[in-house]
Amino acid sequence: MSSEWPEPDPDYVPESRRGISRRALLLGAGIGAAAVVGGAIALSRGRNASPEPSGAPQLQSDGFQYYTVVEPVPQIAGSDWSMPFTQVGGAAATVAMADLARMKQTGLTRDFQCVTGWRVNDVPWSGVLVRDFLAEMEATNSSAQALRFVSFDGEYTESLTMEQAMRDDVLIATSMYGAPVSHERGGPVRLLVVPMYAYKSLKWLGGIEMQTEVTPGYWEVRGWDIDAWVGKSNGRSDEPT
Ligand SMILES: Nc1nc2c(c(=O)[nH]1)N[C@H]1C(S)=C(S)[C@@H](COP(=O)(O)O)O[C@H]1N2
Ligand SMILES: [Mo]
């Protein structure tokens, strides 16, 4: 955010964005007009406009860009944080930071890639694998097919199939670069879905719900791919993370 960092290129409009904007618009509009309008919107964005997910990106000193669809987002201290965890039958539990801290901890050092093209290499994270979290919560025998994640920003949501969620690179992250996840980076607790574009990595985690099917998330109802594998979705060809 400080001025010694270059701003994101205001003219940068990834090829994939035009297609995606158009696709999003096609959901609700006439085909011919929408195709033109989609391109026009993408190209007419001004200097402070977002290239896409999300808000007005600001390059940070750690190489990340700060994204939010809500401003301001309430700041919650780790010691005050808790979230509901709901199973398909309705059984609910409250999970606090101390509960996460008691669970098996996993560290992952991997690249972080936004669908607009920016990437931060070799970011060290740690926290609880979703897989280990579900085991700790005795929720692995569930009939659930999906998980829905909600943010305490009040707007953002994400989802994963159960198969995706059970991978060994999907983390409930509480630390980054050896320190608690900062508010800007989505702390005290954020999701990290390593193999997918970063819009899957929901910030400010405020709840997890087990569901019988996938509920498309914030950007997904706006036309972005639900299965957001890096290099194999959204019309992009990035190196896998
Ligand atoms: N709650 C919430 N989570 C979010 C977003 C957001 O706007 N709100 N943006 C997503 C997108 S598109 C990206 S690229 C990353 C950015 O993470 P950062 O802000 O820590 O760089 O967060 C993802 N998670
Ligand atoms: Mo993103």
Side-chain angles (χ1 to χ4, degrees), residues 1-10 47-51 54-68 112 114 116-121 177 184-185 203:
M1 215 186 319
S2 78
S3 53
E4 66 253 36
W5 292 94
E7 281 184 49
D9 178 356
R47 191 156 178 79
N48 295 316
S50 163
S54 337
Q58 297 168 326
L59 190 60
Q60 311 274 290
S61 57
D62 57 3
F64 282 66
Q65 296 189 21
Y66 174 72
Y67 278 2
T68 182
F112 187 86
C114 171
T116 61
W118 58 273
R119 183 175 184 123
V120 184
N121 295 322
Y177 295 114
E184 287 72 22
R185 293 284 74 73
K203 306 197 324 180

Side-chain angles (χ1 to χ4, degrees), residues 163-180:
E163 192 185 348
Q164 293 163 358
M166 295 296 282
R167 289 175 58 107
D168 60 10
D169 51 8
V170 177
L171 189 72
I172 298 170
T174 52
S175 121
M176 186 186 178
Y177 295 114

Side-chain angles (χ1 to χ4, degrees), residues 89-150:
T94 300
V95 179
M97 187 65 93
D99 300 314
L100 289 182
R102 270 194 296 271
M103 297 179 188
K104 182 185 170 198
Q105 304 293 304
T106 296
L108 288 173
T109 298
R110 303 290 289 276
D111 292 359
F112 187 86
Q113 167 90 48
C114 171
V115 73
T116 61
W118 58 273
R119 183 175 184 123
V120 184
N121 295 322
D122 299 329
V123 184
W125 302 88
S126 68
V128 180
L129 290 176
V130 170
R131 166 168 101 182
D132 293 330
F133 174 82
L134 293 176
E136 292 275 358
M137 301 304 290
E138 299 179 347
T140 45
N141 285 333
S142 164
S143 59
Q145 298 298 312
L147 292 181
R148 178 165 183 266
F149 302 88
V150 303

Side-chain angles (χ1 to χ4, degrees), residues 6-239:
E7 281 184 49
D9 178 356
D11 298 324
Y12 173 66
V13 179
E15 194 54 42
S16 64
R17 182 196 154 75
R18 296 179 209 182
I20 287 158
S21 303
R22 178 158 48 85
R23 219 188 308 149
L25 285 165
L26 289 177
L27 295 174
I31 288 177
V36 174
V37 170
I41 286 174
L43 292 169
S44 70
R45 298 215 158 204
R47 191 156 178 79
N48 295 316
S50 163
E52 194 43 17
S54 337
Q58 297 168 326
L59 190 60
Q60 311 274 290
S61 57
D62 57 3
F64 282 66
Q65 296 189 21
Y66 174 72
Y67 278 2
T68 182
V69 298
V70 173
E71 195 70 77
V73 177
Q75 296 208 23
I76 301 185
S79 52
D80 293 336
W81 177 89
S82 69
M83 67 165 183
F85 169 68
T86 318
Q87 301 206 37
V88 168
T94 300
V95 179
M97 187 65 93
D99 300 314
L100 289 182
R102 270 194 296 271
M103 297 179 188
K104 182 185 170 198
Q105 304 293 304
T106 296
L108 288 173
T109 298
R110 303 290 289 276
D111 292 359
F112 187 86
Q113 167 90 48
C114 171
V115 73
T116 61
W118 58 273
R119 183 175 184 123
V120 184
N121 295 322
D122 299 329
V123 184
W125 302 88
S126 68
V128 180
L129 290 176
V130 170
R131 166 168 101 182
D132 293 330
F133 174 82
L134 293 176
E136 292 275 358
M137 301 304 290
E138 299 179 347
T140 45
N141 285 333
S142 164
S143 59
Q145 298 298 312
L147 292 181
R148 178 165 183 266
F149 302 88
V150 303
S151 173
F152 64 74
D153 69 12
E155 277 296 326
Y156 207 88
T157 63
E158 256 308 333
S159 61
L160 291 171
T161 66
M162 196 55 70
E163 192 185 348
Q164 293 163 358
M166 295 296 282
R167 289 175 58 107
D168 60 10
D169 51 8
V170 177
L171 189 72
I172 298 170
T174 52
S175 121
M176 186 186 178
Y177 295 114
V181 178
S182 68
H183 173 70
E184 287 72 22
R185 293 284 74 73
V189 183
R190 85 179 284 169
L191 190 66
L192 174 69
V193 183
V194 166
M196 295 196 183
Y197 287 107
Y199 61 86
K200 300 297 286 193
S201 293
L202 170 141
K203 306 197 324 180
W204 306 300
L205 181 62
I208 302 179
E209 254 175 75
M210 302 186 86
Q211 298 199 317
T212 52
E213 56 184 38
V214 164
T215 305
Y218 182 91
W219 286 115
E220 296 148 16
V221 299
R222 290 163 175 79
W224 299 78
D225 289 347
I226 296 174
D227 293 326
W229 305 108
V230 173
K232 291 188 224 141
S233 67
N234 295 296
R236 293 187 60 92
S237 54
D238 303 289
E239 280 294 305

